[in-house]
Amino acid sequence: MGQSTNDVYPTAVKVAVQFALRRLHTSMRELATGFAAKADEFADVVKMGRTQLQDAVPMTLDHEFGTYEIMLGEDADRLLEAAALIHEINLGGTAIGTGLNAHSRYAELACRHLRDTAGIPLTTAVDLVEATQDVGSFVQVSGVLERTAVKLSKICNDLRLLSSGPAGGILRDQPSPRPSRIVDHPGKGQPGHSRGRQSGRLRGDRQRRHRLHGRGGRPTSAQRVRADHRPQPVPVDHSPRPRLPHARRAVHHRDHRQHRLPSADRRALHSQ
């Protein structure tokens, strides 16, 4: 049949991903259009813009929803760019891309038939060996999807804060007045002190680790070997030595003198 899992499977995955990206792109465009409509509807609604959940400067809801429209529109364009990378297929390259055991026109004819059947502008890779081992297009699509997911999560969290309440929501809180310390943010005080203290502790911990173990924060293998072979200190007894009584000191000194006297003199000392 002139086929191999090394060219059929990647081609099948690319065709399936193309259909999935089409549906996702359509949904993102519809959502962006909905945000644009809400931006026009809420153009006269004034709210407080916040940084770190603290009052910053006033804004209108059309600013916020218009931002969501632009964010989703940019990611929809990135999806199209990523989808263009997986239009190229390696079908016909068989095992490693050389086209072994396949007809010389198999890659061309199979790509044409698949393009007409699926309705996707597929093309055969110029170098089938390179296309067989290269998975960069899948990595690109994965990165764009992760970027889109992060932005959608941010939008959901913003809307959740706006819809908090209803009796004690964030739009109905009345903070106690306090003097402003930030010139360009009237009504806002110092940033969160707890966050600052936490950042300071983490920064101090990193600096201590760098001093002890270098920039990586962990001891190197050479440092661990030196620590394992480091000689252990010998315990020293600093307690005062007991003083001998006078008689015992005399006997002690006399015993030492015996080593320096002849044997006859030592016998005379013992007879005393």
Side-chain angles (χ1 to χ4, degrees), residues 3-59:
Q3 293 181 343
S4 171
T5 56
N6 294 342
D7 63 343
V8 174
Y9 281 13
T11 301
V13 172
K14 288 182 178 181
V15 172
V17 170
Q18 287 284 353
F19 284 111
L21 291 182
R22 281 184 177 183
R23 293 194 298 270
L24 178 59
H25 180 268
T26 301
S27 299
M28 291 181 63
R29 284 298 182 187
E30 292 176 356
L31 184 58
T33 303
F35 280 130
K38 287 298 181 183
D40 295 337
E41 180 182 349
F42 299 147
D44 298 331
V45 179
V46 180
K47 67 179 288 284
M48 179 60 69
R50 299 174 184 273
T51 60
Q52 296 295 330
L53 296 180
Q54 292 186 333
D55 297 346
V57 294
M59 63 181 298

Side-chain angles (χ1 to χ4, degrees), residues 51-109:
T51 60
Q52 296 295 330
L53 296 180
Q54 292 186 333
D55 297 346
V57 294
M59 63 181 298
T60 56
L61 274 181
D62 69 316
H63 290 146
E64 190 163 356
F65 282 82
T67 300
Y68 299 153
E69 176 199 1
I70 296 175
M71 290 169 58
L72 293 177
E74 289 179 349
D75 279 12
D77 294 338
R78 301 294 84 77
L79 278 178
L80 292 181
E81 295 174 1
L85 295 178
I86 56 177
H87 286 164
E88 186 181 77
I89 61 175
N90 67 327
L91 187 62
T94 62
I96 62 174
T98 58
L100 185 65
N101 295 329
H103 192 274
S104 58
R105 297 190 59 197
Y106 173 75
E108 174 190 353
L109 296 176

Side-chain angles (χ1 to χ4, degrees), residues 6-246:
N6 294 342
D7 63 343
V8 174
Y9 281 13
T11 301
V13 172
K14 288 182 178 181
V15 172
V17 170
Q18 287 284 353
F19 284 111
L21 291 182
R22 281 184 177 183
R23 293 194 298 270
L24 178 59
H25 180 268
T26 301
S27 299
M28 291 181 63
R29 284 298 182 187
E30 292 176 356
L31 184 58
T33 303
F35 280 130
K38 287 298 181 183
D40 295 337
E41 180 182 349
F42 299 147
D44 298 331
V45 179
V46 180
K47 67 179 288 284
M48 179 60 69
R50 299 174 184 273
T51 60
Q52 296 295 330
L53 296 180
Q54 292 186 333
D55 297 346
V57 294
M59 63 181 298
T60 56
L61 274 181
D62 69 316
H63 290 146
E64 190 163 356
F65 282 82
T67 300
Y68 299 153
E69 176 199 1
I70 296 175
M71 290 169 58
L72 293 177
E74 289 179 349
D75 279 12
D77 294 338
R78 301 294 84 77
L79 278 178
L80 292 181
E81 295 174 1
L85 295 178
I86 56 177
H87 286 164
E88 186 181 77
I89 61 175
N90 67 327
L91 187 62
T94 62
I96 62 174
T98 58
L100 185 65
N101 295 329
H103 192 274
S104 58
R105 297 190 59 197
Y106 173 75
E108 174 190 353
L109 296 176
C111 182
R112 182 191 306 173
H113 177 73
L114 188 59
R115 180 172 57 244
D116 296 339
T117 303
I120 300 175
L122 300 174
T123 59
T124 301
V126 177
D127 191 335
L128 293 177
V129 176
E130 184 275 336
T132 301
Q133 60 88 33
D134 186 13
V135 294
S137 58
F138 294 115
V139 176
Q140 181 74 10
V141 171
S142 175
V144 174
L145 292 176
E146 184 176 0
R147 164 179 167 155
T148 304
V150 170
K151 290 189 177 183
L152 288 174
S153 176
K154 193 266 181 190
I155 294 174
C156 292
N157 288 330
D158 289 351
L159 296 178
R160 186 168 55 171
L161 286 175
L162 287 176
S163 61
S164 62
I170 193 171
L171 295 180
R172 294 171 175 79
D173 289 342
Q174 298 295 329
S176 57
R178 55 182 174 178
S180 174
R181 298 184 182 180
I182 301 180
V183 177
D184 57 344
H185 291 177
K188 179 181 179 183
Q190 285 294 93
H193 295 290
S194 60
R195 183 175 62 87
R197 286 195 297 269
Q198 182 182 15
S199 301
R201 286 195 299 270
L202 294 176
R203 186 165 56 251
D205 293 341
R206 285 195 298 266
Q207 292 173 354
R208 284 191 292 271
R209 287 197 301 270
H210 290 171
R211 287 196 300 268
L212 291 175
H213 307 302
R215 192 168 184 82
R218 292 186 297 271
T220 62
S221 58
Q223 289 171 333
R224 287 194 294 268
V225 169
R226 286 198 298 268
D228 294 339
H229 292 81
R230 187 177 302 160
Q232 299 298 325
V234 179
V236 179
D237 186 9
H238 297 283
S239 60
R241 295 183 178 180
R243 294 181 60 83
L244 297 174
H246 178 72

